[in-house]
Amino acid sequence: MTSPVKLQRRSPAATRMQVSRLFHALSDPTRLHLVELLADGEHCVCDLMAAVDAAQSRLSFHLRTLKDAGIVADRKEGRWVHYRLRPEALEEMAGALNLVREARPGAWRSITCC
Amino acid sequence: MTSPVKLQRRSPAATRMQVSRLFHALSDPTRLHLVELLADGEHCVCDLMAAVDAAQSRLSFHLRTLKDAGIVADRKEGRWVHYRLRPEALEEMAGALNLVREARPGAWRSITCC
DNA sequence: GGAACATATCAAGAAATCTTGATATGTCAA
DNA sequence: TTGACATATCAAGATTTCTTGATATGTTCC
């Protein structure tokens, strides 16, 4: 059974707030790099640290930022941690983008004004 | 004729930098709101100011941020200015997102590590 | 020309974000 | 149990971004 929380009952403002958090998570080159690396599946932090050239605490900060935004999830295994993408988040971003893309942007020139 | 600038000759790092600028532009609820408003075509600043509840210089700041990122373009007409979306920028973002989405994220669990 | 208007820019402070180095936590192996 | 290791967290400073109020620029109308 689905939860009783009403779907899409967020106000437009609340939706924007959430979507802006998602975009913010990808607004940094290091985080973008991490997301690219995770595109083919799970990776452990040590793999990621080798791939992006970042100090440990810096990497940890960016991974947490991605996690807080809901873009990645983690899985603890022994003394290391694996991160993976959350496809739902990517879909949500793509969806927000499509709403704007599909509306024929730049279709007309505004005439009346003020 | 197209310009002689080579296409896609940017390094991955430079591409990430550019894409992160695009995402940054949408990482703020006010700017997201503006982009939504522009989805159906051009609007003049006064329209936008009435729609998003923002002081004049604040609105101007956010429009410039969008413009600097290449997400909108403007057109001056008499004493007012019309803004419109630049579909290329939206496509570029959607493209970056798709590269990640299409790679079956979360497909496998990493076994080997460190 | 001068006033009203639309918009942009600037300067300064406020707030958020990022980086770095230090320390904490939990796990494994000897 | 001790030590090495993987990762997270914290604290402080650096940097960036955002907001606000003031002023500048260019346009139209009288």
Side-chain angles (χ1 to χ4, degrees), chain A residues 1-12:
Chain A
M1 231 192 90
T2 59
S3 90
V5 173
K6 300 210 193 94
L7 294 189
Q8 285 310 92
R9 271 302 278 40
R10 286 183 301 189
S11 69

Side-chain angles (χ1 to χ4, degrees), chain B residues 12-23:
Chain B
T15 302
R16 264 174 233 132
M17 204 75 93
Q18 159 63 4
V19 171
S20 68
R21 269 192 282 270
L22 291 171
F23 282 126

Side-chain angles (χ1 to χ4, degrees), chain B residues 34-82:
Chain B
L34 291 169
V35 166
E36 286 167 20
L37 291 167
L38 296 174
D40 65 357
E42 247 190 20
H43 286 273
C44 74
V45 174
C46 38
D47 277 1
L48 299 172
M49 186 148 48
V52 315
D53 187 30
Q56 189 266 317
S57 76
R58 186 165 161 268
L59 178 59
S60 210
F61 167 80
H62 286 300
L63 285 170
R64 169 184 250 279
T65 302
L66 288 170
K67 186 176 158 189
D68 286 350
I71 294 198
V72 304
D74 62 352
R75 178 171 67 85
K76 205 159 295 188
E77 185 172 331
R79 72 176 125 170
W80 48 86
V81 179
H82 301 266

Side-chain angles (χ1 to χ4, degrees), chain A residues 45-91:
Chain A
V45 175
C46 36
D47 277 1
L48 299 171
M49 184 147 50
V52 315
D53 188 30
Q56 190 265 318
S57 78
R58 185 165 162 267
L59 178 59
S60 209
F61 168 80
H62 285 301
L63 285 170
R64 170 184 250 279
T65 302
L66 288 170
K67 186 176 157 188
D68 286 350
I71 295 197
V72 303
D74 62 352
R75 177 172 68 85
K76 205 160 295 188
E77 187 172 328
R79 70 177 127 171
W80 48 84
V81 179
H82 301 267
Y83 280 85
R84 62 183 180 282
L85 291 177
R86 293 205 337 118
E88 310 89 300
L90 301 176
E91 296 313 311

Side-chain angles (χ1 to χ4, degrees), chain A residues 12-13 15-17 19-21 23-30 32-33 35-36 38-47 75 77 80-82 84-87 90-91 93-95 97-101 103-114, chain B residues 12-13 15-17 19-21 23-30 32-33 35-36 38-47 75 77 80-82 84-87 90-91 93-95 97-101 103-114:
Chain A
T15 302
R16 265 175 233 131
M17 202 76 93
V19 172
S20 69
R21 269 191 283 269
F23 282 126
H24 170 259
L26 298 194
S27 73
D28 173 280
T30 300
L32 226 31
H33 196 170
V35 166
E36 286 168 20
L38 294 175
D40 65 357
E42 247 190 19
H43 285 274
C44 74
V45 175
C46 36
D47 277 1
R75 177 172 68 85
E77 187 172 328
W80 48 84
V81 179
H82 301 267
R84 62 183 180 282
L85 291 177
R86 293 205 337 118
L90 301 176
E91 296 313 311
M93 277 190 277
L97 221 40
N98 284 340
L99 280 177
V100 178
R101 290 205 294 156
R104 294 154 295 107
W108 45 274
R109 356 195 83 194
S110 55
I111 299 297
T112 62
C113 186
C114 306
Chain B
T15 302
R16 264 174 233 132
M17 204 75 93
V19 171
S20 68
R21 269 192 282 270
F23 282 126
H24 171 259
L26 297 193
S27 73
D28 174 280
T30 299
L32 226 31
H33 196 170
V35 166
E36 286 167 20
L38 296 174
D40 65 357
E42 247 190 20
H43 286 273
C44 74
V45 174
C46 38
D47 277 1
R75 178 171 67 85
E77 185 172 331
W80 48 86
V81 179
H82 301 266
R84 62 182 181 282
L85 290 178
R86 293 204 336 118
L90 301 176
E91 297 312 312
M93 276 189 278
L97 220 40
N98 284 341
L99 279 177
V100 178
R101 289 205 296 155
R104 293 155 298 106
W108 45 274
R109 357 194 83 196
S110 55
I111 298 298
T112 62
C113 185
C114 304

